[in-house]
Amino acid sequence: MLRRTRSAEGLPDLPEAQIELLRLLVATGGLAPSRAATELKVAQSTISNLVRTMSAADLVERRPLPSDGRGALLVASTRARQLLDRYDRASATVLRDTMRELPAADRHALQAALPSLRLLLVALSE
């Protein structure tokens, strides 16, 4: 899905770890690096490495914590938000177009499976 989406829109090949961090930062409005590590269940050194790479690519910004100017708040850059929006729009289009090509019986089976797939997604994200 990612490969087809990237190809369809000429989007950059962002590693899954970067996409996960960006989605977390967008969903929360920003986090301290230690909190991001906890939320993603990775080591703080992993977050540090991601932030270094992503800052250089203008995907993540480090801002002073409002409550304590010594700490840092990680936020997704405007460029990152735009890329995620493009990924989301393109992947929805790819999925919709591909599903239209399926036989009607398969489309109905997928529709019927959606409640179970939602429950599976919730269970996997816990």
Side-chain angles (χ1 to χ4, degrees):
M1 183 74 183
L2 279 175
R3 186 174 56 248
R4 284 192 62 190
T5 298
R6 288 176 185 136
S7 175
E9 284 294 311
L11 291 160
D13 186 9
L14 297 178
E16 187 64 31
Q18 290 185 10
I19 293 172
E20 281 187 80
L21 178 57
L22 288 175
R23 290 209 182 276
L24 176 64
L25 296 178
V26 168
T28 60
L31 290 172
S34 60
R35 183 73 177 146
T38 300
E39 291 292 322
L40 294 175
K41 297 175 179 61
V42 299
Q44 278 195 259
S45 60
T46 300
I47 296 298
S48 294
N49 290 332
L50 285 170
V51 169
R52 184 173 32 263
T53 302
M54 295 168 75
S55 292
D58 189 32
L59 296 173
V60 171
E61 299 172 3
R62 293 177 66 93
R63 297 182 181 162
L65 278 173
S67 60
D68 175 9
R70 295 173 291 160
L73 180 70
L74 303 176
V75 295
S77 70
T78 300
R79 177 176 182 262
R81 290 172 187 274
Q82 291 168 345
L83 283 174
L84 286 176
D85 286 344
R86 286 180 57 205
Y87 270 102
D88 291 345
R89 282 193 311 273
S91 63
T93 299
V94 167
L95 184 60
R96 185 177 50 250
D97 292 349
T98 303
M99 286 186 66
R100 283 185 186 142
E101 296 171 6
L102 295 175
D106 291 326
R107 287 194 309 269
H108 293 299
L110 286 169
Q111 181 106 17
L114 284 176
S116 295
L117 291 171
R118 284 188 188 103
L119 288 174
L120 177 61
L121 183 60
V122 167
L124 288 172
S125 61
E126 292 177 347

